[in-house]
Amino acid sequence: KRGNRDWEDLSIDDAGHLYIAEIGNNGGRFRETAVYRLDEPDPFKKPDNARPLEITHEWRLRFPDQPFDAESLFIRETTGYVISKYLNASQAEIYTFDLASSEKFQTLKKVATLPIRAPVTGAALSADNARMALVTGLGIHVFHIDGNIEGAGSLQPAFVPFLNPSMEAVCFAGDFVVTTCEDKTMAFFARNLFDTPKK
């Protein structure tokens, strides 16, 4: 059982695990953050509200340099990806940690610096690993990565402007890129809006 210090994102893997990202770090106050894994509940089964879900694994994550805030997590195979959120117009960065590691603590590893200077509040990887979507209060960026997440720093994303400071999460859903907001609204963007990547 864990309290919610600053949960910011959820992710899922191909084996039916959910990941809770306790990576919010406003003002860089915390020296470490965490990600928790649990088995995904059956959505068709009546929940047992008296019994909390069990955390099956926990990763304690430290920073390679200065602590930073983050709101984005996605999972690919045995790697977790966290994207920094900066309020000072610094470029967003992708960091990784190893899901297969038995180490209690890990230091996040920077693998890419992205051409995005707005605060990133959500990220998602498409099911075929061909695209990576990031959302900010200014709109949606989609990178055509073709499976190479670490190479995203050398790409220019397709961008659809959509000014909404409460944008918080993004995902791929069929023919759409879907975003959700703190005001409980959702927006659907046709995936073909992002079909022509910029060189």
Side-chain angles (χ1 to χ4, degrees):
K1 185 175 179 180
R2 293 288 186 276
N4 181 347
R5 186 181 76 182
D6 197 349
W7 295 359
E8 286 289 356
D9 206 356
L10 291 172
S11 190
I12 192 169
D13 64 17
D14 294 330
H17 301 120
L18 290 178
Y19 296 79
I20 299 171
E22 189 172 58
I23 54 177
N25 193 8
N26 295 330
R29 295 173 296 158
F30 304 117
R31 303 302 300 179
E32 66 180 56
T33 57
V35 172
Y36 309 115
R37 183 173 69 195
L38 58 153
D39 295 330
E40 183 181 17
D42 183 348
F44 301 103
K45 185 178 179 181
K46 184 177 179 181
D48 180 359
N49 294 325
R51 186 171 61 88
L53 296 174
E54 180 182 352
I55 293 172
T56 59
H57 202 90
E58 174 181 344
W59 293 268
R60 308 300 299 187
L61 306 176
R62 293 172 171 168
F63 302 95
D65 297 302
Q66 292 298 315
F68 56 80
D69 190 19
E71 296 189 6
S72 308
L73 169 77
F74 60 85
I75 304 299
R76 180 183 176 189
E77 298 175 350
T78 61
T79 302
Y81 293 84
V82 173
I83 299 179
S84 59
K85 175 189 175 186
Y86 295 124
L87 302 178
N88 60 2
S90 293
Q91 289 177 259
E93 299 161 327
I94 303 178
Y95 291 82
T96 63
F97 64 99
D98 183 6
L99 299 176
S101 174
S102 61
E103 297 292 327
K104 182 177 181 180
F105 296 96
Q106 290 188 51
T107 299
L108 290 164
K109 177 184 176 184
K110 185 168 74 174
V111 296
T113 300
L114 302 173
I116 298 176
R117 293 186 179 274
V120 176
T121 56
L125 190 64
S126 63
D128 61 2
N129 299 317
R131 302 181 186 197
M132 178 178 69
L134 275 63
V135 65
T136 74
L138 301 180
I140 299 90
H141 307 256
V142 173
F143 291 81
H144 291 248
I145 57 172
D146 293 326
N148 182 11
I149 298 170
E150 289 77 5
S154 63
L155 302 175
Q156 193 66 29
F159 175 67
V160 172
F162 187 76
L163 186 62
N164 187 330
S166 70
M167 296 268 263
E168 279 291 311
V170 65
C171 70
F172 292 90
D175 291 330
F176 296 94
V177 176
V178 182
T179 66
T180 60
C181 306
E182 288 182 328
D183 61 9
K184 299 181 181 179
T185 60
M186 300 176 68
F188 291 74
F189 301 84
R191 282 182 60 172
N192 61 13
L193 293 172
F194 307 96
D195 274 349
T196 306
K198 297 178 181 178
K199 300 285 184 176

